[in-house]
Structures are given as structure tokens and as C-alpha cells.
Amino acid sequence: MDQNMEFVNYVYETSSMGASSITTLLDTIKDKDNKIKKVCEDILKGHEAFIKKSKRILKKNNAEIKPVPMTAKLGSWMGIKTEMIKDNSDARVADMVIRGLTMGIIELDKKIENFDKTITNSNKKLAKELRKFENESISLLKSYL
């Protein structure tokens, strides 16, 4: 796989992991009275949009679409379920999502730096849009802390 498609696949994986984690979180609090649900639903929609964009680029280039490893999804699922048993307050949900988004931003920044000279501007723009979306999501979530 060429570097451009490897990079786009990373954007796909990051968005997929975010969507999977938020879906688990929303499922866990669906019967609760959390006010943060709408913000989480919007974050999920945003990640789903990035999944579609990156998938479209990968398919257009006949590149393999690598799924998120099941171990990563399972680890996230278990962590969310365990934490929500202890405390399912809006502040706790916001804290968990902020930590996940922050990890995603840090890794995305590393990828942008590592691939900077080998990827197209359009692929770099896609990653920067994802980073901007995740930073904006963090700003929205801070009001729940």
C-alpha cells in the first residue's frame, strides 16, 4: 500500500475507533438521564462522516480498507462498560470522551508529521479536518466537566 493510502487508512481507522467507542458509550447510557447524549450523538455523526470520506478515497484508489483490530475495539468496549458502572455522570462521560479524542489527536499529529512530505495536500487536509473536528468536540464537552 502506498504512503498516501496508508495515511488515509489511518484516518479511516481513527474515525472508526471513535465511532465504535461513542456507539458503545451511547448504548451504555441510553436508559439514563444524561444531558450529554446529544453532543455524543453529534460526535458520532462527525466520525461517521470521516469514515465515509476516507472509505471513498480508499475505494477510489483500489486500496485495502483495514478494519480496526478487534482487540482495540474490545479493550475500548470493556473500559467504557467498566467505567460507566462506577460513574455514568455527564462529567465522567465528558472526561472519557475528551481523553479518547485527545489520544486520537496526538496520534493523528504524529502521523501528519511522519507522512508530511509523502502525502498529497488533499489527504493532509482530510486529516487536519478530522483533527479540527475532534478539537471542536473537546471544546463542546468541556462544559460538562
Side-chain angles (χ1 to χ4, degrees):
M1 184 180 296
D2 80 8
Q3 299 239 321
N4 270 291
M5 292 306 100
E6 184 179 334
F7 184 80
V8 173
N9 205 78
Y10 182 76
V11 171
Y12 171 79
E13 288 178 21
T14 299
S15 302
S16 295
M17 189 66 199
S20 174
S21 296
I22 294 290
T23 299
T24 300
L25 185 62
L26 284 167
D27 184 54
T28 304
I29 63 171
K30 71 179 174 203
D31 296 326
K32 309 290 186 218
D33 194 26
N34 295 73
K35 293 173 180 28
I36 199 168
K37 287 179 189 175
K38 174 70 172 107
V39 174
C40 290
E41 289 167 352
D42 290 344
I43 293 170
L44 174 60
K45 287 177 190 169
H47 277 111
E48 288 172 341
F50 281 100
I51 290 168
K52 286 179 186 173
K53 286 179 188 179
S54 54
K55 204 174 197 179
R56 192 175 322 120
I57 294 167
L58 291 164
K59 284 183 177 181
K60 180 181 173 185
N61 288 278
N62 295 317
E64 177 187 1
I65 299 172
K66 296 181 184 174
V68 175
M70 189 52 81
T71 54
K73 283 186 177 182
L74 184 59
S76 172
W77 183 88
M78 288 174 52
I80 290 167
K81 294 291 187 180
T82 302
E83 290 299 317
M84 290 293 96
I85 288 171
K86 296 178 196 173
D87 178 5
N88 68 352
S89 67
D90 284 342
R92 184 68 187 126
V93 171
D95 179 66
M96 286 179 63
V97 177
I98 288 170
R99 282 189 286 131
L101 290 169
T102 301
M103 287 188 325
I105 291 167
I106 290 168
E107 293 303 315
L108 195 55
D109 282 344
K110 287 179 189 177
K111 290 288 185 188
I112 292 170
E113 181 69 28
N114 289 339
F115 284 83
D116 186 48
K117 296 189 182 4
T118 60
I119 57 171
T120 64
N121 286 336
S122 61
N123 290 336
K124 197 180 306 182
K125 182 181 176 200
L126 176 67
K128 288 181 177 181
E129 288 173 1
L130 175 57
R131 180 178 59 199
K132 180 181 179 201
F133 165 75
E134 290 187 337
N135 275 314
E136 289 170 350
S137 297
I138 288 170
S139 294
L140 291 172
L141 290 163
K142 285 181 178 178
S143 66
Y144 291 92
L145 293 175

